[in-house]
Amino acid sequence: MKRRILPTGYPAAALTAAFIFAAIAALIRLQTFPGLDEKIAARVQEWESPLLTSGMTFLSWMGSGLPLVLLTAVIMGLLYRMLGFRREIGLIAFTALGSALLNTGLKHLFRRPRPEVYRLAEAAGFSFPSGHSMAAFSLYGLLALLLWPHLRGKPGKTVLLAAAALLILAIGLSRIYLGVHYPSDVLGGYAASGCWIAAVLALYRKLALAAAGNRSRE
């Protein structure tokens, strides 16, 4: 299968996402909009119902620990078997691991306590940024970017982007609904993960171009 070089623009995207993350962190630290997080979270929790709680609990479970690791492994296996992905599998694993380590580091840097509100689930550790949001954005966002060049028709690309966006947003929303994260934790997670993915893809593209240039000179 012919390798397709990823598009340009990743360094600028990484800087933009980093700026957004820094802005969110600053607004939280300075308490620029006191009570806004709580008001939004309370409005989301007004939707509570047994069926919705079950769905949100499942989405949250999908974005955590072992289930996410197993899902990532299955996806990598399918990509290898169906599309012949090899380097891309290493890219997915590296991005996922880096996202988890980055999240841990950022949580210990900001040390924001979790919401003291009505909870439908329990969670330990610090709150900002949301680990589930970062993991979902890293996995499904990266998959969408890697699969995009392999889809020719506009309908297929539209479905791909819609599915990735829906999963990312739903997992982030589930953490707010369950009362274990503030909305700003989720937004911060998206921004941090977006910065990380863009930086990794910028490096990956540079290495891919260098490898292609070496092959052309052989």
Coordinates of all heavy atoms in Angstrom, one line a residue, residues 116-197:
E116 N -16.8 19.2 44.4 CA -17.5 18.7 45.6 C -19.0 19.0 45.4 O -19.6 19.9 45.9 CB -17.0 19.5 46.8 CG -15.5 19.2 47.2 CD -15.1 19.9 48.4 OE1 -15.9 20.7 49.0 OE2 -13.9 19.8 48.8
V117 N -19.5 18.2 44.5 CA -20.9 18.3 44.1 C -21.6 16.9 44.2 O -21.0 15.9 44.6 CB -21.0 18.9 42.7 CG1 -20.5 20.3 42.6 CG2 -20.3 18.0 41.7
Y118 N -22.8 16.9 43.7 CA -23.6 15.6 43.6 C -22.9 14.7 42.6 O -22.7 15.1 41.5 CB -25.0 16.0 43.2 CG -25.8 14.7 42.9 CD1 -26.1 13.8 43.8 CD2 -26.4 14.6 41.6 CE1 -26.9 12.7 43.5 CE2 -27.2 13.5 41.3 CZ -27.4 12.5 42.3 OH -28.2 11.4 42.0
R119 N -22.5 13.6 43.1 CA -21.7 12.6 42.2 C -22.5 11.4 42.0 O -23.1 10.8 42.9 CB -20.4 12.3 42.9 CG -19.3 13.3 42.9 CD -18.0 12.8 43.3 NE -17.0 13.8 43.4 CZ -15.7 13.6 43.7 NH1 -15.3 12.4 44.0 NH2 -14.9 14.6 43.8
L120 N -22.4 10.9 40.7 CA -23.0 9.6 40.3 C -21.9 8.5 40.2 O -22.2 7.4 39.9 CB -23.7 9.8 39.0 CG -25.0 10.7 39.1 CD1 -25.5 11.0 37.7 CD2 -26.0 10.1 40.0
A121 N -20.7 8.9 40.4 CA -19.5 8.0 40.4 C -18.4 8.6 41.3 O -18.5 9.7 41.6 CB -19.0 7.8 39.0
E122 N -17.5 7.7 41.6 CA -16.4 8.2 42.4 C -15.1 8.1 41.6 O -14.9 7.3 40.7 CB -16.2 7.3 43.6 CG -17.3 7.5 44.7 CD -17.4 8.9 45.2 OE1 -16.4 9.6 45.4 OE2 -18.6 9.4 45.4
A123 N -14.2 9.1 41.8 CA -12.9 9.1 41.1 C -11.9 9.7 42.1 O -12.1 10.6 42.8 CB -13.0 9.9 39.9
A124 N -10.7 9.1 42.0 CA -9.6 9.6 42.8 C -8.6 10.5 42.1 O -8.7 10.6 40.8 CB -8.8 8.4 43.4
G125 N -7.7 11.2 42.8 CA -6.7 12.0 42.1 C -7.2 13.4 41.8 O -8.3 13.8 42.2
F126 N -6.4 14.2 41.2 CA -6.7 15.5 40.9 C -7.6 15.7 39.6 O -7.8 14.7 38.9 CB -5.4 16.3 40.6 CG -4.5 16.4 41.9 CD1 -3.3 15.8 41.8 CD2 -4.9 17.0 43.0 CE1 -2.5 15.8 43.0 CE2 -4.1 17.0 44.1 CZ -2.9 16.4 44.1
S127 N -8.1 16.9 39.4 CA -9.2 17.1 38.5 C -8.8 17.6 37.1 O -9.4 17.3 36.1 CB -10.3 18.0 39.1 OG -11.4 18.0 38.3
F128 N -7.8 18.5 37.1 CA -7.4 19.2 35.8 C -6.1 18.8 35.3 O -5.1 18.8 36.1 CB -7.4 20.7 36.1 CG -7.1 21.6 34.9 CD1 -8.0 21.9 34.0 CD2 -5.8 22.1 34.8 CE1 -7.7 22.6 32.9 CE2 -5.5 22.8 33.7 CZ -6.4 23.1 32.7
P129 N -6.0 18.5 34.0 CA -7.1 18.3 33.1 C -7.7 16.9 33.1 O -7.1 16.0 33.7 CB -6.4 18.5 31.7 CG -5.0 18.0 31.9 CD -4.7 18.4 33.4
S130 N -8.8 16.7 32.5 CA -9.5 15.4 32.5 C -8.7 14.3 31.8 O -8.4 14.5 30.6 CB -10.9 15.5 31.9 OG -11.5 14.2 31.6
G131 N -8.4 13.2 32.4 CA -7.6 12.2 31.8 C -8.5 11.4 30.7 O -8.0 11.0 29.7
H132 N -9.8 11.3 31.0 CA -10.6 10.6 30.1 C -10.7 11.4 28.8 O -10.7 10.9 27.7 CB -12.0 10.4 30.7 CG -12.1 9.3 31.6 ND1 -11.5 9.2 32.8 CD2 -12.8 8.1 31.6 CE1 -11.8 8.1 33.5 NE2 -12.6 7.4 32.7
S133 N -10.9 12.7 28.9 CA -11.0 13.6 27.8 C -9.7 13.5 26.9 O -9.7 13.5 25.7 CB -11.3 15.0 28.2 OG -12.5 15.1 28.9
M134 N -8.6 13.6 27.6 CA -7.3 13.5 26.9 C -7.1 12.2 26.2 O -6.7 12.1 25.0 CB -6.1 13.7 27.9 CG -5.9 15.2 28.3 SD -4.4 15.4 29.2 CE -3.2 15.2 27.9
A135 N -7.5 11.1 26.8 CA -7.3 9.8 26.2 C -8.3 9.6 25.0 O -7.8 9.1 24.0 CB -7.6 8.7 27.3
A136 N -9.5 10.1 25.2 CA -10.4 10.0 24.0 C -10.0 10.8 22.9 O -10.0 10.3 21.7 CB -11.8 10.4 24.5
F137 N -9.5 12.0 23.1 CA -9.1 12.9 22.0 C -7.9 12.3 21.4 O -7.7 12.3 20.1 CB -8.8 14.3 22.6 CG -8.7 15.4 21.6 CD1 -9.8 16.3 21.5 CD2 -7.7 15.5 20.7 CE1 -9.8 17.3 20.5 CE2 -7.6 16.5 19.7 CZ -8.7 17.4 19.6
S138 N -6.9 11.8 22.2 CA -5.7 11.2 21.6 C -6.0 10.0 20.7 O -5.4 9.9 19.6 CB -4.8 10.8 22.7 OG -4.3 11.9 23.5
L139 N -6.9 9.1 21.2 CA -7.1 7.9 20.4 C -8.0 8.2 19.2 O -7.6 7.9 18.0 CB -7.8 6.9 21.3 CG -8.2 5.5 20.6 CD1 -7.0 4.9 20.0 CD2 -8.9 4.6 21.5
Y140 N -9.2 8.7 19.4 CA -10.1 8.9 18.3 C -9.8 10.0 17.4 O -10.0 9.9 16.2 CB -11.6 9.1 18.9 CG -12.0 7.9 19.7 CD1 -12.3 8.1 21.1 CD2 -12.1 6.6 19.2 CE1 -12.7 7.0 21.9 CE2 -12.4 5.5 20.0 CZ -12.7 5.8 21.4 OH -13.1 4.7 22.2
G141 N -9.2 11.1 17.9 CA -8.7 12.1 17.1 C -7.6 11.7 16.2 O -7.6 12.0 15.0
L142 N -6.6 11.0 16.7 CA -5.5 10.5 15.9 C -6.0 9.5 14.9 O -5.5 9.5 13.7 CB -4.5 9.8 16.8 CG -3.2 9.3 16.1 CD1 -2.5 10.4 15.4 CD2 -2.3 8.6 17.1
L143 N -6.9 8.6 15.3 CA -7.4 7.6 14.3 C -8.1 8.3 13.1 O -7.9 7.9 12.0 CB -8.4 6.7 15.0 CG -7.9 5.6 15.9 CD1 -9.0 4.8 16.5 CD2 -7.0 4.6 15.0
A144 N -8.9 9.4 13.4 CA -9.5 10.1 12.3 C -8.5 10.7 11.4 O -8.7 10.7 10.2 CB -10.4 11.2 12.9
L145 N -7.4 11.3 11.9 CA -6.4 11.9 11.1 C -5.7 10.9 10.3 O -5.3 11.1 9.1 CB -5.4 12.7 12.0 CG -6.0 14.0 12.6 CD1 -5.0 14.5 13.6 CD2 -6.3 15.0 11.5
L146 N -5.4 9.7 10.8 CA -4.7 8.7 10.1 C -5.5 8.0 9.0 O -5.0 7.6 8.0 CB -4.2 7.6 11.1 CG -3.1 8.0 12.0 CD1 -2.7 6.9 13.0 CD2 -1.8 8.5 11.3
L147 N -6.8 7.8 9.3 CA -7.7 7.2 8.3 C -8.2 8.1 7.2 O -8.5 7.7 6.1 CB -8.9 6.6 9.0 CG -8.6 5.4 10.0 CD1 -9.9 5.0 10.7 CD2 -8.1 4.2 9.2
W148 N -8.2 9.4 7.5 CA -8.7 10.4 6.6 C -8.1 10.3 5.2 O -8.8 10.3 4.2 CB -8.4 11.8 7.1 CG -8.8 13.0 6.2 CD1 -8.0 13.6 5.3 CD2 -10.1 13.6 6.2 NE1 -8.7 14.6 4.7 CE2 -10.0 14.6 5.2 CE3 -11.3 13.5 6.9 CZ2 -11.0 15.5 4.9 CZ3 -12.3 14.3 6.5 CH2 -12.2 15.3 5.6
P149 N -6.7 10.2 5.0 CA -6.2 10.1 3.6 C -6.6 8.8 2.9 O -6.5 8.8 1.7 CB -4.7 10.1 3.9 CG -4.5 10.7 5.2 CD -5.7 10.2 6.0
H150 N -7.1 7.8 3.6 CA -7.4 6.5 3.0 C -8.9 6.5 2.5 O -9.3 5.5 1.9 CB -7.1 5.4 3.9 CG -5.7 5.2 4.3 ND1 -4.8 4.5 3.5 CD2 -4.9 5.8 5.3 CE1 -3.6 4.6 4.0 NE2 -3.6 5.3 5.1
L151 N -9.6 7.5 2.9 CA -11.0 7.6 2.4 C -11.2 8.6 1.3 O -10.8 9.7 1.4 CB -11.9 8.0 3.6 CG -11.9 7.1 4.8 CD1 -12.8 7.7 5.9 CD2 -12.5 5.7 4.4
R152 N -11.8 8.1 0.2 CA -11.8 8.9 -1.0 C -13.1 9.8 -1.1 O -13.0 10.9 -1.5 CB -11.7 8.0 -2.3 CG -10.4 7.3 -2.4 CD -10.4 6.5 -3.7 NE -9.1 5.7 -3.8 CZ -8.0 6.3 -4.2 NH1 -7.9 7.5 -4.6 NH2 -6.9 5.5 -4.3
G153 N -14.2 9.2 -0.7 CA -15.5 9.9 -0.9 C -15.7 10.9 0.3 O -15.3 10.6 1.4
K154 N -16.4 12.0 0.0 CA -16.8 12.9 1.0 C -17.7 12.3 2.1 O -17.6 12.6 3.3 CB -17.5 14.1 0.4 CG -17.7 15.3 1.4 CD -18.3 16.5 0.6 CE -18.5 17.6 1.6 NZ -19.1 18.8 0.9
P155 N -18.7 11.5 1.7 CA -19.6 10.9 2.8 C -18.8 10.1 3.8 O -19.1 10.2 5.0 CB -20.5 10.0 2.0 CG -20.6 10.6 0.6 CD -19.2 11.1 0.4
G156 N -17.8 9.3 3.3 CA -17.0 8.5 4.3 C -16.2 9.3 5.2 O -16.1 9.0 6.4
K157 N -15.6 10.4 4.7 CA -14.9 11.3 5.5 C -15.8 12.0 6.5 O -15.4 12.2 7.7 CB -14.1 12.3 4.7 CG -13.0 11.7 3.8 CD -12.2 12.7 3.1 CE -11.1 12.0 2.3 NZ -10.2 13.0 1.6
T158 N -16.9 12.4 6.1 CA -17.9 13.0 7.0 C -18.3 12.1 8.1 O -18.3 12.6 9.3 CB -19.1 13.5 6.2 OG1 -18.7 14.4 5.2 CG2 -20.1 14.2 7.1
V159 N -18.6 10.9 7.8 CA -19.0 9.9 8.9 C -17.8 9.7 9.8 O -18.0 9.6 11.0 CB -19.4 8.6 8.2 CG1 -19.5 7.5 9.3 CG2 -20.7 8.8 7.4
L160 N -16.6 9.6 9.3 CA -15.4 9.4 10.1 C -15.2 10.5 11.1 O -15.1 10.3 12.3 CB -14.2 9.3 9.2 CG -12.8 9.2 10.0 CD1 -12.7 8.0 10.8 CD2 -11.6 9.4 9.0
L161 N -15.3 11.8 10.6 CA -15.1 12.9 11.5 C -16.3 13.0 12.5 O -16.0 13.3 13.7 CB -15.0 14.2 10.7 CG -13.8 14.4 9.9 CD1 -13.8 15.7 9.1 CD2 -12.5 14.3 10.7
A162 N -17.5 12.8 12.1 CA -18.6 12.8 13.0 C -18.6 11.8 14.1 O -18.8 12.1 15.2 CB -19.9 12.7 12.2
A163 N -18.2 10.6 13.7 CA -18.0 9.5 14.7 C -17.0 9.8 15.7 O -17.2 9.6 16.9 CB -17.7 8.2 14.0
A164 N -15.8 10.3 15.3 CA -14.7 10.6 16.2 C -15.1 11.8 17.1 O -14.9 11.7 18.3 CB -13.5 11.0 15.4
A165 N -15.7 12.8 16.5 CA -16.1 13.9 17.3 C -17.2 13.5 18.4 O -17.2 14.0 19.5 CB -16.7 15.1 16.4
L166 N -18.1 12.7 18.0 CA -19.2 12.3 18.9 C -18.7 11.5 20.0 O -19.1 11.7 21.2 CB -20.2 11.4 18.1 CG -21.4 11.0 18.9 CD1 -22.2 12.1 19.4 CD2 -22.3 10.1 18.0
L167 N -17.7 10.6 19.8 CA -17.1 9.8 20.9 C -16.3 10.7 21.8 O -16.4 10.5 23.0 CB -16.2 8.7 20.3 CG -16.9 7.4 19.8 CD1 -16.0 6.6 19.0 CD2 -17.5 6.6 20.9
I168 N -15.6 11.6 21.3 CA -14.8 12.5 22.1 C -15.6 13.3 23.0 O -15.4 13.5 24.2 CB -13.9 13.3 21.2 CG1 -12.8 12.5 20.5 CG2 -13.2 14.4 22.0 CD1 -12.0 13.2 19.4
L169 N -16.7 13.9 22.4 CA -17.5 14.8 23.1 C -18.4 14.0 24.2 O -18.6 14.5 25.3 CB -18.5 15.6 22.2 CG -17.8 16.6 21.3 CD1 -18.8 17.1 20.3 CD2 -17.2 17.7 22.1
A170 N -18.8 12.8 23.8 CA -19.7 12.0 24.7 C -18.9 11.6 25.9 O -19.4 11.6 27.0 CB -20.2 10.8 23.9
I171 N -17.6 11.2 25.7 CA -16.8 10.7 26.9 C -16.5 11.9 27.8 O -16.6 11.8 29.0 CB -15.6 10.0 26.4 CG1 -15.9 8.7 25.8 CG2 -14.6 9.9 27.5 CD1 -14.7 8.0 25.1
G172 N -16.2 13.1 27.2 CA -16.0 14.2 28.0 C -17.3 14.6 28.8 O -17.2 15.0 30.0
L173 N -18.4 14.6 28.1 CA -19.7 15.0 28.7 C -20.0 14.0 29.9 O -20.6 14.4 30.9 CB -20.8 15.0 27.7 CG -22.2 15.5 28.2 CD1 -22.1 16.9 28.6 CD2 -23.2 15.3 27.1
S174 N -19.7 12.7 29.7 CA -20.0 11.7 30.7 C -19.3 12.1 32.0 O -19.8 11.8 33.1 CB -19.6 10.3 30.2 OG -18.2 10.1 30.3
R175 N -18.1 12.6 32.0 CA -17.4 13.0 33.2 C -18.0 14.1 33.9 O -18.0 14.2 35.2 CB -15.9 13.3 32.9 CG -15.2 12.2 32.1 CD -15.2 10.9 32.9 NE -14.3 10.9 34.0 CZ -14.2 10.0 34.9 NH1 -15.0 9.0 35.0 NH2 -13.3 10.1 35.9
I176 N -18.6 15.1 33.2 CA -19.3 16.2 33.8 C -20.6 15.7 34.4 O -21.0 16.0 35.5 CB -19.6 17.3 32.8 CG1 -18.3 17.8 32.2 CG2 -20.4 18.4 33.4 CD1 -18.5 18.7 31.0
Y177 N -21.3 14.9 33.6 CA -22.6 14.3 34.1 C -22.5 13.5 35.4 O -23.3 13.6 36.3 CB -23.2 13.4 33.0 CG -24.5 12.7 33.3 CD1 -25.7 13.3 33.1 CD2 -24.5 11.5 33.9 CE1 -26.9 12.7 33.4 CE2 -25.7 10.8 34.2 CZ -26.9 11.4 34.0 OH -28.1 10.8 34.3
L178 N -21.4 12.7 35.4 CA -21.2 11.9 36.6 C -20.7 12.6 37.8 O -20.6 12.1 38.9 CB -20.2 10.7 36.3 CG -20.7 9.7 35.2 CD1 -19.6 8.7 34.9 CD2 -22.0 9.0 35.8
G179 N -20.3 13.9 37.6 CA -19.9 14.8 38.7 C -18.5 14.6 39.2 O -18.1 15.1 40.3
V180 N -17.6 14.1 38.3 CA -16.2 13.9 38.7 C -15.3 14.9 38.0 O -14.1 14.8 38.3 CB -15.8 12.4 38.4 CG1 -16.5 11.4 39.3 CG2 -16.0 12.1 36.9
H181 N -15.8 15.7 37.2 CA -15.0 16.7 36.5 C -15.8 18.0 36.3 O -17.0 18.0 36.1 CB -14.4 16.3 35.2 CG -13.2 15.4 35.3 ND1 -12.0 16.0 35.8 CD2 -12.9 14.2 34.9 CE1 -11.1 15.0 35.7 NE2 -11.6 13.9 35.2
Y182 N -15.1 19.1 36.3 CA -15.6 20.4 35.9 C -15.6 20.5 34.4 O -14.8 19.8 33.7 CB -14.8 21.6 36.5 CG -14.8 21.7 37.9 CD1 -13.7 21.4 38.7 CD2 -15.9 22.2 38.6 CE1 -13.7 21.5 40.1 CE2 -15.9 22.4 40.0 CZ -14.8 22.0 40.7 OH -14.8 22.2 42.1
P183 N -16.5 21.3 33.8 CA -16.4 21.4 32.3 C -15.1 22.0 31.8 O -14.6 21.5 30.8 CB -17.5 22.5 32.0 CG -18.5 22.2 33.1 CD -17.7 21.9 34.3
S184 N -14.4 22.8 32.6 CA -13.1 23.4 32.2 C -12.1 22.3 32.3 O -11.1 22.3 31.6 CB -12.7 24.5 33.2 OG -12.8 24.2 34.5
D185 N -12.2 21.2 33.1 CA -11.3 20.1 33.1 C -11.4 19.4 31.8 O -10.3 19.0 31.2 CB -11.7 19.1 34.2 CG -11.5 19.7 35.6 OD1 -10.7 20.6 35.8 OD2 -12.2 19.2 36.5
V186 N -12.6 19.2 31.3 CA -12.8 18.5 30.0 C -12.2 19.3 28.8 O -11.5 18.8 28.0 CB -14.3 18.2 29.8 CG1 -14.5 17.7 28.4 CG2 -14.8 17.3 30.8
L187 N -12.5 20.6 28.8 CA -12.0 21.5 27.8 C -10.5 21.6 27.8 O -9.8 21.5 26.8 CB -12.6 22.9 27.9 CG -14.1 23.0 27.6 CD1 -14.5 24.5 27.9 CD2 -14.4 22.6 26.2
G188 N -9.9 21.6 29.0 CA -8.5 21.6 29.2 C -7.8 20.3 28.7 O -6.8 20.3 28.1
G189 N -8.5 19.2 28.9 CA -8.1 17.9 28.4 C -8.0 17.9 26.9 O -7.1 17.4 26.3
Y190 N -9.1 18.4 26.3 CA -9.1 18.4 24.8 C -7.9 19.3 24.3 O -7.3 18.9 23.3 CB -10.4 19.0 24.3 CG -11.6 18.2 24.6 CD1 -12.9 18.8 24.7 CD2 -11.5 16.8 24.7 CE1 -14.0 18.0 24.9 CE2 -12.7 16.0 25.0 CZ -13.9 16.6 25.0 OH -15.0 15.9 25.3
A191 N -7.7 20.5 24.9 CA -6.7 21.3 24.4 C -5.3 20.7 24.6 O -4.4 20.8 23.7 CB -6.7 22.7 25.1
A192 N -5.0 20.1 25.8 CA -3.7 19.5 26.0 C -3.5 18.4 25.1 O -2.4 18.2 24.5 CB -3.7 19.0 27.5
S193 N -4.5 17.5 24.9 CA -4.3 16.4 24.0 C -4.2 16.9 22.5 O -3.4 16.3 21.8 CB -5.6 15.5 24.1 OG -5.3 14.3 23.4
G194 N -4.9 17.9 22.1 CA -4.7 18.5 20.8 C -3.3 19.0 20.6 O -2.7 18.7 19.5
C195 N -2.8 19.6 21.5 CA -1.4 20.1 21.4 C -0.4 18.9 21.3 O 0.5 18.9 20.5 CB -1.0 20.9 22.7 SG 0.7 21.5 22.7
W196 N -0.6 17.9 22.1 CA 0.3 16.7 22.1 C 0.2 16.0 20.8 O 1.2 15.7 20.2 CB -0.1 15.8 23.2 CG 0.5 14.4 23.2 CD1 -0.1 13.2 23.0 CD2 1.9 14.2 23.3 NE1 0.9 12.2 23.0 CE2 2.1 12.7 23.2 CE3 3.1 14.9 23.5 CZ2 3.3 12.1 23.2 CZ3 4.3 14.3 23.5 CH2 4.5 12.9 23.4
I197 N -1.0 15.8 20.3 CA -1.2 15.1 19.0 C -0.5 15.8 17.9 O 0.2 15.3 17.0 CB -2.7 14.8 18.7 CG1 -3.3 13.8 19.6 CG2 -2.9 14.4 17.2 CD1 -4.8 13.6 19.4

